[in-house]
Each structure stands twice: as structure tokens, then as C-alpha cells.
Amino acid sequence: MKKLLLSCLLLLPTLVLASEGIALQHANNDVYDKASLQNGAKLFTNYCMGCHSLQYSRFQRVAKDLEIPEDIMKANLMFTSEKIGELMTIGMRKKEALSWFGVAPPDLSVIARARGTDWIYSFLLSFYVDESKPTGVNNLIFKDTAMPHVLWELQGYQMPIYEEVTDEEGKKHQVLESLEPINPAGMTDEESKRKQDDYRRTVRDLVNFLDYVGEPAKFQRHYLGIWVLLFLAFLFVFAYALKKEFWRDVH
Ligand code: HEC
């Protein structure tokens, strides 16, 4: 038995290492942060909806949940749709998409549940220059993705930094070590850091919005949960008082 435990313990690090791909960065988003969700919705409709739909969401529901006035929603977040009650679908046809990208951009309604928020966050932070690709970029998290770096204006481009490692047979390999922002001439390190921090916040808001879209009922469920807990707390006071009353005669 001891031996078995010991071998399990020894195996553990190899298992961890085997399952360890590229570490994801934490999105740390908060679906109760309305300002972040509003910004996320604006970013999504401006930068993503050219290619990706949210076929189960309606503009009106999003406006209501995120407390965006309908006229602002219409003016700033709706480009192809006329009516606020419409579903957030897009005009791009599958056949055209296939000929442009080789893959149709998927609907992103449940992407936060399918991939997880950390994955989307890391994906949007990990585009890097790769001249061999038709889009001019590759991605550390989603290798050889057909998606272009659509947020390049906000982040800029990143260079891959490779490191040479020697394997057990003595062969040398280039392994991607990290990504480094390519800064325009004259940009100081501090300005560059600020730009990357701003970009991280932008991506967090986008991921936050996709998290909300994946489960819009989360709001209602949590609010209901709070009421239920308050009710139970209230009931406890009465139950306790009642118990005291009953036991008074017994003691
Ligand atoms: C110019 C078109 C285009 C735009 C704009 C675009 N995407 Fe994409 N996106 C694609 C394509 C094409 C794919 C499929 C990539 C693949 O399978 O290789 C994709 C895939 C994705 C995926 C991965 C889906 C999966 O298969 O798991 C995510 C997440 C994503 N996009 C998010 C976004 C977000 C967020 C935005 C807005 C900031 C955005 N995309 C804007 C074209 C686009």
C-alpha cells in the first residue's frame, strides 16, 4: 500500500507536466460590474460583430440588463439591425466566410461556457506576428487560427521570442518563450506598459460581456438567491424565538 502511494506521489509531477499546455492568464472579470459590461458590449458590437453573431441574444434584452438607454443602444451599438427587438445576428453568409477565412467565424453565444473566460482572455492577448500566415499573425493559445488580430489598433503587434532547447537526443529546437510588444519609435517603456495595461482592461471587459451573454439569467438567479437567504435569516430569528418560548416551560 505504501509503495502504491509512493509511486502515485512520484507520478503526480509527470501527470501535471503532461497536462500543462501553455498557462492561461486569468480574466478575473466580474459580471456584476455594469460599466465593464457596457464597455464590453460596445467593443463587441464595434469590433467583433462584423464576423461573429450572438444568435440567442436580443439587443433589447442586452440594453435592459446592462442599463443602456435604448436610443444610445440604437445609435452606438446597432449597425445593421433596425429594430431593438431583433436578434443579434449578422449579415455575413457562411459561404462567403468560408472563402475568406477557410473557416466560418462561429457564433459566440456560449463561447464563455465552452472555452472558459480565461481561455478567451488569453487568446485575445496572444496574437503575434507570423509572416507565413495569410493573416500575418498566429496565436499562442489557438495555433494557426484563421482569425486576424482584429484589435491590433488597440494592442499593437507582438513579436515572438524563441529560445533554443536541446532535447534528450541532442537535437536543438526553437521553443516559443514569450511575446513582446513591438513599440513604435519613441515610445517609452512606461508608455508601452500603460498601453498593454489598457489593452488588458479592454479585453477583460469584452470577456466579461461574453460571460454575461453565455448566461444572462445569472443576474436574476443571484438576486433571487440573496432574497432567499434573507428570508431564511429572517425565519431563523422567529424560529429561535419560538424555540426559546417552548423550552421555557421545560427548563
Ligand atoms: C474579420 C472577421 C473576424 C472578426 C472581426 C473577429 N473574429 Fe473571432 N474569429 C474569426 C474566425 C474566422 C474564427 C475561426 C478561427 C478558427 O477556427 O481558426 C474566429 C474565432 C474566434 C474565437 C474562437 C472560437 C472557437 O472556435 O473556440 C473567439 C473566442 C473569437 N473569434 C472572438 C472574437 C472576438 C472577441 C472578436 C472581437 C474583438 C472577434 N472574434 C472578431 C473571425 C473574426
Side-chain angles (χ1 to χ4, degrees), residues 4 19 23 30 46 48 123 128 130 138 140 163 176 195 217 228:
L4 188 71
S19 64
D30 170 15
N46 281 278
C48 317
F123 169 60
Y128 63 88
D130 183 347
N138 206 330
L140 205 57
E163 200 187 335
L176 216 171
K195 185 171 177 182
V228 169

Side-chain angles (χ1 to χ4, degrees), residues 128-138 157:
Y128 63 88
V129 172
D130 183 347
E131 300 296 348
S132 70
K133 298 284 151 209
T135 53
V137 286
N138 206 330
Y157 283 101

Side-chain angles (χ1 to χ4, degrees), residues 47-48 51-52 101 103 105-106 108 111 115 123 142 145-147 150:
Y47 287 101
C48 317
C51 297
H52 295 284
F101 307 110
V103 219
L108 295 183
I111 193 72
R115 292 285 205 180
F123 169 60
F142 189 166
T145 181
M147 178 164 141
V150 297

Side-chain angles (χ1 to χ4, degrees), residues 107-234:
D107 181 87
L108 295 183
S109 301
V110 290
I111 193 72
R113 279 200 266 170
R115 292 285 205 180
T117 44
D118 289 352
W119 189 91
I120 310 173
Y121 181 71
S122 308
F123 169 60
L124 294 171
L125 289 174
S126 303
F127 283 94
Y128 63 88
V129 172
D130 183 347
E131 300 296 348
S132 70
K133 298 284 151 209
T135 53
V137 286
N138 206 330
N139 192 286
L140 205 57
I141 303 296
F142 189 166
K143 199 167 174 311
D144 298 335
T145 181
M147 178 164 141
H149 184 18
V150 297
L151 298 173
W152 70 271
E153 281 172 309
L154 305 180
Q155 186 192 25
Y157 283 101
Q158 298 185 109
M159 261 337 247
I161 309 291
Y162 291 96
E163 200 187 335
E164 203 170 73
V165 292
T166 316
D167 66 13
E168 290 144 13
E169 290 160 18
K171 281 201 198 117
K172 291 194 159 86
H173 295 274
Q174 295 282 332
V175 178
L176 216 171
E177 240 296 291
S178 58
L179 302 179
E180 218 143 87
I182 306 172
N183 293 326
M187 188 183 246
T188 63
D189 285 351
E190 202 174 304
E191 282 164 346
S192 162
K193 191 180 168 298
R194 203 173 316 130
K195 185 171 177 182
Q196 295 303 319
D197 284 348
D198 282 349
Y199 181 65
R200 250 179 238 118
R201 259 192 300 276
T202 300
V203 172
R204 181 170 299 126
D205 290 351
L206 250 172
V207 170
N208 204 16
F209 175 67
L210 287 173
D211 196 9
Y212 147 77
V213 160
E215 210 187 343
K218 207 186 244 171
F219 280 140
Q220 278 88 344
R221 224 180 43 225
H222 281 211
Y223 284 128
L224 193 68
I226 289 169
W227 281 112
V228 169
L229 286 180
L230 281 176
F231 172 74
L232 286 178
F234 191 65

